[in-house]
Amino acid sequence: SQQGEEDPQALSIQEGENATMNCSYKTSINNLQWYRQNSGRGLVHLILIRSNEREKHSGRLRVTLDTSKKSSSLLITASRAADTASYFCATRPAGNKLTFGGGTRVLVKP
Amino acid sequence: NAGVTQTPKFQVLKTGQSMTLQCAQDMNHNSMYWYRQDPGMGLRLIYYSASEGTTDKGEVPNGYNVSRLNKREFSLRLESAAPSQTSVYFCAGGRQGRYTGELFFGEGSRLTVL
């Protein structure tokens, strides 16, 4: 079974709106990462948040981490058509394996 | 720098045929990974290599073998392909550590087994 699970599975918004997606995981982690995948392409790393951090920003991205609830959220502000993609959370428990969730498909309509 | 390069990009096999997916990275990464992605799903780890000379099973290793030929190259072999192995395969490389671990992905190898 997957370590991380994203919610919702799909999200459709208008350009300029904010997009929020959530990730829940099962075991304790060293860090949690978010990746983007454009259609037909490989995954691209967006942001990494450590287990001792609660919030992190990168441009229009804001990530939060609540280790007590074993959950994280990714907020994309002022979305653009180019943000249309699938977004995956990935967790690194102790050890080397990076485990991915099922992803959230985001459609930003112009 | 090319980053992570996978070959071939597309392949069609018949059931029972064998093939090897090649992956090479020029980013001096210690660890390398092979994932598969099925339609509408996330990535599942097949095998990974924490360092040159070591390999370990991931979540779905059955039907696959890997070779960490050197620090740059990590190949995935299907000895007897089955339709259930139709998927998109991604190779990734990265550095490992408690507070690191960003992975860099190749563009994928799309495999169809008839």
Side-chain angles (χ1 to χ4, degrees):
Chain A
S1 61
Q2 292 174 321
Q3 159 78 325
E5 295 290 342
E6 287 92 341
D7 173 66
Q9 291 187 326
L11 182 59
S12 180
I13 57 174
Q14 293 293 137
E15 204 165 24
E17 293 180 340
N18 295 340
T20 300
M21 59 210 84
N22 303 296
C23 171
S24 60
Y25 57 91
K26 298 173 184 175
T27 63
S28 61
I29 58 172
N30 288 335
N31 65 60
L32 184 144
Q33 303 173 37
W34 286 91
Y35 288 78
R36 183 187 73 233
Q37 184 181 34
N38 292 97
S39 180
R41 305 297 299 275
L43 278 73
V44 174
H45 181 266
L46 294 176
I47 196 166
L48 180 152
I49 186 165
R50 302 173 183 177
S51 58
N52 61 351
E53 297 176 313
R54 292 296 168 258
E55 186 170 313
K56 201 162 184 180
H57 297 255
S58 177
R60 293 184 295 111
L61 305 180
R62 182 172 78 97
V63 169
T64 63
L65 179 63
D66 186 335
T67 53
S68 67
K69 295 181 179 178
K70 291 187 171 58
S71 67
S72 173
S73 68
L74 171 67
L75 168 67
I76 305 172
T77 59
S79 62
R80 305 167 181 169
D83 295 326
T84 293
S86 292
Y87 293 82
F88 296 90
C89 72
T91 55
R92 185 181 292 276
N96 302 319
K97 302 176 186 179
L98 191 64
T99 307
F100 287 81
T104 294
R105 295 187 309 279
V106 175
L107 172 64
V108 181
K109 295 179 284 186
Chain B
N1 287 345
V4 178
T5 303
Q6 294 182 229
T7 55
K9 289 184 168 49
F10 299 93
Q11 184 72 50
V12 179
L13 293 177
K14 295 181 180 177
T15 297
Q17 288 185 317
S18 62
M19 77 159 298
T20 299
L21 300 178
Q22 307 285 355
C23 176
Q25 53 95 3
D26 60 4
M27 306 177 80
N28 201 33
H29 291 152
N30 294 326
S31 56
M32 297 185 74
Y33 302 77
W34 276 106
Y35 290 90
R36 61 177 287 175
Q37 183 177 36
D38 298 301
M41 296 183 66
L43 278 72
R44 291 184 291 171
L45 181 63
I46 305 172
Y47 271 94
Y48 70 101
S49 171
S51 61
E52 184 179 352
T54 67
T55 60
D56 283 288
K57 295 178 180 179
E59 184 184 358
V60 287
N62 291 344
Y64 305 94
N65 285 303
V66 290
S67 295
R68 184 73 184 268
L69 303 170
N70 47 54
K71 190 170 186 179
R72 290 188 64 249
E73 299 172 293
F74 189 39
S75 62
L76 178 71
R77 183 161 178 83
L78 287 70
E79 291 291 351
S80 179
S84 61
Q85 294 179 304
T86 293
S87 189
V88 181
Y89 292 84
F90 288 98
C91 177
R95 293 186 182 83
Q96 58 192 55
R98 180 179 176 86
Y99 295 119
T100 57
E102 171 187 359
L103 292 191
F104 296 84
F105 283 81
E107 289 297 306
S109 297
R110 287 151 183 81
L111 175 65
T112 301
V113 183
L114 303 175

